[in-house]
PDB file of all heavy atoms in Angstrom:
ATOM      1  N   ALA A  96      25.006 -12.842   6.798  1.00 83.00           N
ATOM      2  CA  ALA A  96      24.887 -12.632   8.241  1.00 83.00           C
ATOM      3  C   ALA A  96      23.704 -11.721   8.555  1.00 83.00           C
ATOM      4  O   ALA A  96      22.935 -11.977   9.495  1.00 83.00           O
ATOM      5  CB  ALA A  96      26.187 -12.037   8.781  1.00 83.00           C
ATOM      6  N   ALA A  97      23.549 -10.657   7.763  1.00 80.00           N
ATOM      7  CA  ALA A  97      22.419  -9.758   7.976  1.00 80.00           C
ATOM      8  C   ALA A  97      21.094 -10.473   7.729  1.00 80.00           C
ATOM      9  O   ALA A  97      20.115 -10.268   8.455  1.00 80.00           O
ATOM     10  CB  ALA A  97      22.545  -8.541   7.062  1.00 80.00           C
ATOM     11  N   ALA A  98      21.057 -11.322   6.678  1.00 78.00           N
ATOM     12  CA  ALA A  98      19.833 -12.066   6.368  1.00 78.00           C
ATOM     13  C   ALA A  98      19.476 -13.028   7.499  1.00 78.00           C
ATOM     14  O   ALA A  98      18.301 -13.164   7.872  1.00 78.00           O
ATOM     15  CB  ALA A  98      20.002 -12.829   5.059  1.00 78.00           C
ATOM     16  N   LEU A  99      20.483 -13.688   8.054  1.00 83.00           N
ATOM     17  CA  LEU A  99      20.231 -14.610   9.157  1.00 83.00           C
ATOM     18  C   LEU A  99      19.728 -13.860  10.394  1.00 83.00           C
ATOM     19  O   LEU A  99      18.785 -14.307  11.063  1.00 83.00           O
ATOM     20  CB  LEU A  99      21.512 -15.379   9.482  1.00 83.00           C
ATOM     21  CG  LEU A  99      21.926 -16.430   8.451  1.00 83.00           C
ATOM     22  CD1 LEU A  99      23.367 -16.873   8.688  1.00 83.00           C
ATOM     23  CD2 LEU A  99      20.990 -17.628   8.503  1.00 83.00           C
ATOM     24  N   ALA A 100      20.363 -12.708  10.694  1.00 84.00           N
ATOM     25  CA  ALA A 100      19.918 -11.918  11.842  1.00 84.00           C
ATOM     26  C   ALA A 100      18.486 -11.425  11.626  1.00 84.00           C
ATOM     27  O   ALA A 100      17.668 -11.419  12.552  1.00 84.00           O
ATOM     28  CB  ALA A 100      20.861 -10.738  12.052  1.00 84.00           C
ATOM     29  N   LEU A 101      18.188 -11.015  10.396  1.00 80.00           N
ATOM     30  CA  LEU A 101      16.832 -10.557  10.080  1.00 80.00           C
ATOM     31  C   LEU A 101      15.823 -11.687  10.219  1.00 80.00           C
ATOM     32  O   LEU A 101      14.703 -11.487  10.713  1.00 80.00           O
ATOM     33  CB  LEU A 101      16.806  -9.994   8.661  1.00 80.00           C
ATOM     34  CG  LEU A 101      15.515  -9.309   8.198  1.00 80.00           C
ATOM     35  CD1 LEU A 101      15.200  -8.111   9.088  1.00 80.00           C
ATOM     36  CD2 LEU A 101      15.655  -8.861   6.750  1.00 80.00           C
ATOM     37  N   SER A 102      16.202 -12.894   9.808  1.00 79.00           N
ATOM     38  CA  SER A 102      15.308 -14.045   9.933  1.00 79.00           C
ATOM     39  C   SER A 102      15.035 -14.374  11.390  1.00 79.00           C
ATOM     40  O   SER A 102      13.904 -14.710  11.771  1.00 79.00           O
ATOM     41  CB  SER A 102      15.907 -15.258   9.221  1.00 79.00           C
ATOM     42  OG  SER A 102      15.991 -15.044   7.841  1.00 79.00           O
ATOM     43  N   ILE A 103      16.072 -14.283  12.227  1.00 81.00           N
ATOM     44  CA  ILE A 103      15.897 -14.559  13.657  1.00 81.00           C
ATOM     45  C   ILE A 103      14.922 -13.553  14.263  1.00 81.00           C
ATOM     46  O   ILE A 103      14.014 -13.907  15.028  1.00 81.00           O
ATOM     47  CB  ILE A 103      17.254 -14.515  14.380  1.00 81.00           C
ATOM     48  CG1 ILE A 103      18.141 -15.679  13.900  1.00 81.00           C
ATOM     49  CG2 ILE A 103      17.068 -14.598  15.890  1.00 81.00           C
ATOM     50  CD1 ILE A 103      19.577 -15.594  14.364  1.00 81.00           C
ATOM     51  N   ALA A 104      15.110 -12.274  13.906  1.00 82.00           N
ATOM     52  CA  ALA A 104      14.206 -11.241  14.423  1.00 82.00           C
ATOM     53  C   ALA A 104      12.789 -11.435  13.891  1.00 82.00           C
ATOM     54  O   ALA A 104      11.800 -11.253  14.624  1.00 82.00           O
ATOM     55  CB  ALA A 104      14.728  -9.861  14.040  1.00 82.00           C
ATOM     56  N   ALA A 105      12.663 -11.809  12.605  1.00 78.00           N
ATOM     57  CA  ALA A 105      11.338 -12.013  12.007  1.00 78.00           C
ATOM     58  C   ALA A 105      10.601 -13.164  12.677  1.00 78.00           C
ATOM     59  O   ALA A 105       9.390 -13.084  12.918  1.00 78.00           O
ATOM     60  CB  ALA A 105      11.478 -12.261  10.504  1.00 78.00           C
ATOM     61  N   LEU A 106      11.314 -14.249  12.971  1.00 78.00           N
ATOM     62  CA  LEU A 106      10.676 -15.377  13.647  1.00 78.00           C
ATOM     63  C   LEU A 106      10.179 -14.977  15.036  1.00 78.00           C
ATOM     64  O   LEU A 106       9.099 -15.394  15.463  1.00 78.00           O
ATOM     65  CB  LEU A 106      11.662 -16.541  13.765  1.00 78.00           C
ATOM     66  CG  LEU A 106      11.916 -17.359  12.499  1.00 78.00           C
ATOM     67  CD1 LEU A 106      12.950 -18.446  12.782  1.00 78.00           C
ATOM     68  CD2 LEU A 106      10.636 -17.985  11.973  1.00 78.00           C
ATOM     69  N   ALA A 107      10.986 -14.168  15.734  1.00 79.00           N
ATOM     70  CA  ALA A 107      10.580 -13.731  17.070  1.00 79.00           C
ATOM     71  C   ALA A 107       9.327 -12.856  16.992  1.00 79.00           C
ATOM     72  O   ALA A 107       8.400 -12.999  17.805  1.00 79.00           O
ATOM     73  CB  ALA A 107      11.722 -12.967  17.733  1.00 79.00           C
ATOM     74  N   LEU A 108       9.267 -11.968  16.006  1.00 79.00           N
ATOM     75  CA  LEU A 108       8.088 -11.110  15.855  1.00 79.00           C
ATOM     76  C   LEU A 108       6.867 -11.923  15.422  1.00 79.00           C
ATOM     77  O   LEU A 108       5.754 -11.687  15.903  1.00 79.00           O
ATOM     78  CB  LEU A 108       8.371 -10.014  14.823  1.00 79.00           C
ATOM     79  CG  LEU A 108       9.207  -8.831  15.301  1.00 79.00           C
ATOM     80  CD1 LEU A 108       9.540  -7.920  14.127  1.00 79.00           C
ATOM     81  CD2 LEU A 108       8.477  -8.050  16.394  1.00 79.00           C
ATOM     82  N   ALA A 109       7.080 -12.858  14.499  1.00 75.00           N
ATOM     83  CA  ALA A 109       5.953 -13.657  14.004  1.00 75.00           C
ATOM     84  C   ALA A 109       5.329 -14.512  15.095  1.00 75.00           C
ATOM     85  O   ALA A 109       4.154 -14.873  15.018  1.00 75.00           O
ATOM     86  CB  ALA A 109       6.414 -14.541  12.845  1.00 75.00           C
ATOM     87  N   ALA A 110       6.122 -14.842  16.120  1.00 75.00           N
ATOM     88  CA  ALA A 110       5.610 -15.677  17.212  1.00 75.00           C
ATOM     89  C   ALA A 110       4.772 -14.877  18.196  1.00 75.00           C
ATOM     90  O   ALA A 110       4.087 -15.457  19.048  1.00 75.00           O
ATOM     91  CB  ALA A 110       6.771 -16.341  17.945  1.00 75.00           C
ATOM     92  N   ARG A 111       4.794 -13.544  18.077  1.00 80.00           N
ATOM     93  CA  ARG A 111       3.990 -12.735  18.997  1.00 80.00           C
ATOM     94  C   ARG A 111       2.505 -12.895  18.680  1.00 80.00           C
ATOM     95  O   ARG A 111       2.113 -12.978  17.518  1.00 80.00           O
ATOM     96  CB  ARG A 111       4.399 -11.264  18.892  1.00 80.00           C
ATOM     97  CG  ARG A 111       5.820 -10.999  19.336  1.00 80.00           C
ATOM     98  CD  ARG A 111       6.220  -9.552  19.104  1.00 80.00           C
ATOM     99  NE  ARG A 111       5.376  -8.634  19.870  1.00 80.00           N
ATOM    100  CZ  ARG A 111       5.523  -7.309  19.845  1.00 80.00           C
ATOM    101  NH1 ARG A 111       6.468  -6.766  19.076  1.00 80.00           N
ATOM    102  NH2 ARG A 111       4.731  -6.538  20.566  1.00 80.00           N
TER     103      ARG A 111
END
Side-chain angles (χ1 to χ4, degrees):
L99 288 166
L101 187 61
S102 295
I103 293 170
L106 283 178
L108 282 173
R111 295 175 61 180

